[in-house]
Amino acid sequence: MAVRYIPYFPNTLEGQALLDNFVRTKRVLRYRDNDRVVENIKRGMPYYEVEPVEEVGDNPQHNMVLRGECLSACAYLKDKGIKVDLVYIDPPFASGADYAKKVYVRNNPKVAATIAQAEKELDNEELRTFDEKMYGDIWDKERYLNWMYENLMAIKSVMSDNASIYVHLDYHIGHYVKILMDEIFGEDNFVNEIIWQRVYSHNDANRYGQIHDTIFYYCMNNEDYTWHTQYVPYDEKYLKMYSMDDGDGRKYKVENTMGPGGRGSTYEWNGITRTWRYSQKTMEELEKKGLLYHTSSGFPKKKVYLDEMPGKPLQSIWTDINVIAGQAKELVDYATQKPEALLERIIKASSDEGMVVADFFGGSGVTAAVANRLGRRFVTSDINLNSIQTIRDRLIGGKAEFEILEVKDGVSLFRNPVQTMDKLKKMIPGLCDNEEKFDKIWAGSIVSTQYGVMPVYLPNLLDSSSRLLDKPMINRIIREALPDLPADIRRVIVYYIDITDRNDIEQFIKEQNDQTTIEIELRDLKQFLDDIVVEDDAEWEVSETHDALFSGWKVTINSFHSDRVLKKIEEVNLKGRQQVLQQKTKGKEKKFVPITISDEGLETIEWISLDCENAEKNQPWHSDVEIKRDHLGRVCLNGKKTDEFWDGSIRCDKKPLRMKIRNICGDETVWTL
């Protein structure tokens, strides 16, 4: 259960996006569960305990990487009084797509004793790989928009008074989110709709090629927000606008001196009375400097010389930044990775050095990496452990200093919520798959000698709104789910991750459950998950060495075994064999080469780190030395890429106290040495 709830704003806003400005038709845009979302916002953001995981460098700027959901991260920032000056988020697009990580089996250092052998392994075009699902972008429109509404409200609550926010979406849901943002930030604070052309063309059947995303840009205060005009190189069409000169060869164009929208200073100039863009004093100075051009009627226009311009002012359609190419240096093998050039443009335009840049759907870590490179402070968060690992490794490579914190919300047992949901049914003792006679709200059933068949409700960890068991949720179970159960059902089990007040909910059940004789048993899923530990096994030797090449400590890994990785490989091999059999039945020959792992199992190690400062498990990790192996098997030492291949060991100057190993699927295990 959340430790407490943090208010979004001093005076909580009420309502959700209502499109009610059509007087004639009275059209109103409403969604299911709006009332529930309003109740959530009135209650506040759930604040959980936050545990320090790792410290990198001295970190005087207090940069942070949070593993947790947007709401939890914002609750933590608000509780600590931390304000952010620029927000960029690239949330799920409600596209219905699943995103997977390509998992590479590395070369075996026991076999690759020579560079020649390692190079021979690299010649194999079909690298031994398999996919692992990271997260699912599977939403219905109603749940997505309610979820986004809560997140945007939370983000707004931690934005400074002159902050800006960029929300990156596409055609699936962007137009609906625009309505939410109009309500949350105010229509007057809408700055731009940016069209980003990701690719030059796309061969879509039966429709125009879909080649762009949309970025909505809002500010907190349209009279005071950070803005620095960005420029791009001139194109031929734009250069033609500079067609005038005074005979000296200096090209210029002329611009209107009238006040935009009737705003400005009203006075008479050269016999013409207008509302001018510039004050009379400024107009006189422009005249003295020869920067006014007079039309045949005597109307003044301002000269703008080409050689004084830094480039063409950036417009709202961006066509000069492409998606990341397969061989790009910045590529980190993350499904939804965005190019650094895109974030560099946004961060330069809407922040100053030293300001705090935040991204609450951190993904590949591009926002934090670019913010750090440009001298900004950063806060980034994500619920996906693969994202946190990618961000962490990327920032290490960029020489950033930061801390990693984990929100203890009880759902981070595995690497991501998708994986947890996939394993949840198998982990709960006695839980059988849902029978056809039960509604889909029930995840399955457990058979008891005392009560018989007991339907089981599990919160959907992919939908943060269902993690909290509150009165609206339990009322839905009582009113909609219980009456439809067979007559012989005597008890149901309702698991929860978080609960508003257990005593209050139990009292509510007693008062409201009068339509059936079915008992409702509440169980804390978080306690169940906390009792389960998934760890890998390793054997190693620690030795102190002193020779001409190296003086210090050496840890040699003799073997490494991960049951979860091996089971995943078994599943991949089984699927591959079945596909071959299916092809044979159709008269087609298909060769299948199974993925095999050596007895040592070192092929399944992706990353290894030594901590020479802290020996206690509850202390934040301090990486004195670390090795990461890329998908080709080459070593990245302390964030620096090399052409070397791993020899199965890791060296450090001081005596190592702890060792952490990450397997190729992303699970990390710590050993005391």
Side-chain angles (χ1 to χ4, degrees), residues 241-261:
M241 298 173 62
Y242 292 86
S243 59
M244 308 172 73
D245 69 69
D246 294 320
D248 57 359
R250 292 185 70 199
K251 296 290 183 180
Y252 68 86
K253 68 173 183 175
V254 292
E255 290 183 345
N256 196 358
T257 53
M258 293 276 289

Side-chain angles (χ1 to χ4, degrees), residues 12-20 28-42 140-153 176-184:
T12 301
L13 300 180
E14 295 186 10
Q16 193 176 348
L18 298 178
L19 187 62
D20 58 3
V28 180
L29 180 67
R30 297 183 186 273
Y31 288 109
R32 283 198 308 255
D33 295 331
N34 280 7
D35 294 339
R36 185 177 178 186
V37 172
V38 171
E39 288 299 318
N40 289 348
I41 291 174
K42 286 181 178 179
D140 59 47
K141 185 168 57 180
E142 290 82 3
R143 287 191 305 128
Y144 181 88
L145 291 173
N146 283 307
W147 174 78
M148 273 298 295
Y149 185 79
E150 287 187 79
N151 286 329
L152 289 170
M153 290 284 280
Y176 292 101
V177 174
K178 171 67 167 63
I179 298 172
L180 298 186
M181 297 188 73
D182 279 345
E183 182 193 356
I184 293 168

Side-chain angles (χ1 to χ4, degrees), residues 35 140 156 195 220 231 424 448 536 622 626 629 654:
D35 294 339
D140 59 47
K156 182 184 177 184
I195 302 300
M220 289 286 282
Y231 298 91
L424 206 51
S448 164
D536 296 331
H622 179 275
E626 61 185 63
R629 307 167 69 198
K654 297 184 291 184

Side-chain angles (χ1 to χ4, degrees), residues 391-408:
I391 294 170
R392 183 245 180 229
D393 295 347
R394 187 173 192 169
L395 291 173
I396 290 286
K399 306 300 181 184
E401 297 185 351
F402 57 96
E403 62 177 333
I404 300 178
L405 305 168
E406 182 168 349
V407 177
K408 306 304 289 184

Side-chain angles (χ1 to χ4, degrees), residues 177-207:
V177 174
K178 171 67 167 63
I179 298 172
L180 298 186
M181 297 188 73
D182 279 345
E183 182 193 356
I184 293 168
F185 295 97
E187 293 181 42
D188 292 342
N189 291 325
F190 170 67
V191 183
N192 277 114
E193 176 185 13
I194 299 165
I195 302 300
W196 173 42
Q197 180 180 312
R198 298 176 288 105
V199 291
Y200 287 114
S201 65
H202 198 280
N203 295 325
D204 290 329
N206 303 321
R207 68 171 182 175

